[in-house]
Amino acid sequence: MAPTSASRAQLLQALRRVLRPVVKVLIRAGIRFDEFSELARGVYVESALRDGVDHVKKPTRARVSMATGVSRHQVDYYVENEGALPVADPTLTNILTEVLQKWHTDPQYVGPYGIPLELEFEVPGGSRCIRN
């Protein structure tokens, strides 16, 4: 179902509002427009391939090209080159997120009124400990 012109205009306005702070960060980080547009093109292709196009489970490259406005040649490039889109090196972010989530929600680590208890780094005997 294609959006109406009014809803399309609203969506584009919302996108503009979302992009302004993102572009501000990109400019400060020294990322040029050509780098951003190349990334956006790849994300369009990646999303169309992963999420499907027109409710088709496995879209063809030609259908992805038509739906995204990205040339067939460029769609082929992103499909055939796994490293075409930048990937960040793995970090400990997932572990840190899990620790913080448990610390703030697990009854073993939360005190009265939902305030997280202080954690000891090394405590023998099974007390509350980060390495538990």
Side-chain angles (χ1 to χ4, degrees):
M1 183 168 119
T4 65
S5 63
S7 63
R8 183 181 170 92
Q10 289 294 322
L11 180 60
L12 289 172
Q13 177 62 26
L15 178 61
R16 180 178 171 200
R17 292 188 80 162
V18 168
L19 280 176
R20 288 197 71 209
V22 171
V23 169
K24 189 175 184 180
V25 170
L26 293 175
I27 290 170
R28 285 184 182 165
I31 297 174
R32 297 184 332 259
F33 175 75
D34 59 333
E35 294 173 283
F36 171 75
S37 66
E38 182 72 24
L39 177 67
R41 183 180 298 117
V43 171
Y44 258 75
V45 172
E46 180 183 42
S47 295
L49 289 170
R50 285 187 179 177
D51 303 332
V53 176
D54 296 330
H55 307 293
V56 176
K57 288 195 180 215
K58 192 145 190 172
T60 64
R61 294 178 183 190
R63 189 167 288 185
V64 168
S65 177
M66 290 293 291
T68 61
V70 176
S71 74
R72 171 71 193 270
H73 175 72
Q74 291 171 327
V75 170
D76 291 340
Y77 171 77
Y78 286 110
V79 170
E80 293 166 4
N81 296 308
E82 201 169 298
L85 291 174
V87 177
D89 293 333
T91 65
L92 297 176
T93 305
N94 290 343
I95 295 170
L96 293 173
T97 303
E98 184 178 343
V99 168
L100 288 173
Q101 191 270 337
K102 283 189 177 197
W103 188 33
H104 285 81
T105 59
D106 191 323
Q108 182 179 359
Y109 303 108
V110 176
Y113 306 107
I115 297 172
L117 300 172
E118 290 194 29
L119 301 175
E120 299 292 331
F121 283 99
E122 303 266 349
V123 177
S127 301
R128 282 184 301 274
C129 175
I130 290 178
R131 294 190 183 173
N132 225 359

